[in-house]
Amino acid sequence: LGADEEDLPRSIVLVGVTGDGKSTTGNLLCGRQAFPVSNGLCSATFEAAHADFIHIDSDSELVKWRVVDTVGLQDTGLPASEVIRRFGQFSDHVPMGIDCFLFVCAWGRFKPEHEAALSAFEANCGASALAHTLLCFTQCPLSPEELDALFGDDGDGQEGGLGKLPPALQRLAPKLGGRPVAVPHLPPDGAPSAQPTALPSSAGAGVARADVAAPAGSCARSGEDPPSRLPTRSAAAAHGTETTSAAASAAARAARGHLLEGLEELCARLG
């Protein structure tokens, strides 16, 4: 696993069951809608696909990444043998080797289909792949610190939060390459920002500054006359939408940074 040549991109393969947010997570990492996302009851991912992006790491170095989206394991719309065949197509997109896997799982109950998907993943990629894998919880209400506490050490050498996890996760967690990462609820495209002031994701920073407008109806202290009437309902609604969009973009940028930080730490630990 992994590529030694510095000019080759680091590779991430997204794994998980259908509908848990693999493609949305891929779009978040890329900073754009690189993968189709289903808004219905059926999967929009029918075969493996990849997208590339560039990120500025903590050492201010440009790092090339390749994200590979895969067909959902446990996809009930396909025979099991066909699901495994299509899942295995990811290897065609990473001839340079695989640096890490993200097993994407929607926050909530860890269901039997998740256990079955993990078993299929381990059976097809080998037990050693788990050391290159991070769990990624989508739609997660916990902060990164809260998630760390749940999966982390309690300070006395004991695994403080693991006892609160389902048995399958208790068995899995020690085998993984690092602590899990959290992604909050995001729009389907997963884009960190739709603001026109955003730096392009290919520049790596994914940073945007949202200019906050003065509240409608407020007056400057320079003596200017107040507005002749209150803003219309539609204008107030538009302002509320812009505020919500800015908050969502900020949350997405933070989630993207947290994801990439976890992936960089895993790559550094594996060498």
Side-chain angles (χ1 to χ4, degrees), residues 85-261:
R85 187 191 72 79
R86 295 191 187 189
F87 171 73
Q89 293 174 344
F90 74 80
S91 60
D92 297 334
H93 297 265
V94 284
M96 73 291 290
I98 303 159
D99 289 290
C100 43
F101 295 92
L102 271 183
F103 190 92
V104 179
C105 177
W107 182 258
R109 299 189 66 178
F110 199 73
K111 301 177 183 178
E113 53 262 38
H114 295 116
E115 293 188 50
L118 271 170
S119 297
F121 166 62
E122 186 175 359
N124 283 273
C125 298
S128 62
L130 294 178
H132 292 254
T133 302
L134 295 181
L135 277 176
C136 175
F137 288 108
T138 58
Q139 304 177 38
C140 183
L142 303 183
S143 68
E145 294 75 20
E146 290 171 328
L147 196 61
D148 279 351
L150 183 61
F151 279 80
D153 193 292
D154 67 358
D156 297 322
Q158 302 295 322
E159 294 297 328
L162 291 183
K164 302 177 182 178
L165 299 175
L169 284 181
Q170 291 183 39
R171 293 191 298 270
L172 175 69
K175 302 178 183 179
L176 298 177
R179 294 182 182 180
V181 289
V183 175
H185 181 74
L186 296 172
D189 61 7
S193 177
Q195 301 291 335
T197 55
L199 293 174
S201 61
S202 59
V207 178
R209 183 177 66 190
D211 294 324
V212 180
S218 65
C219 303
R221 295 189 178 184
S222 59
E224 64 185 43
D225 294 332
S228 58
R229 55 186 177 182
L230 294 173
T232 63
R233 185 183 300 270
S234 60
H239 179 71
T241 300
E242 291 172 0
T243 303
T244 301
S245 177
S249 295
R253 290 196 301 275
R256 182 175 188 255
H258 177 56
L259 262 177
L260 286 166
E261 181 182 353

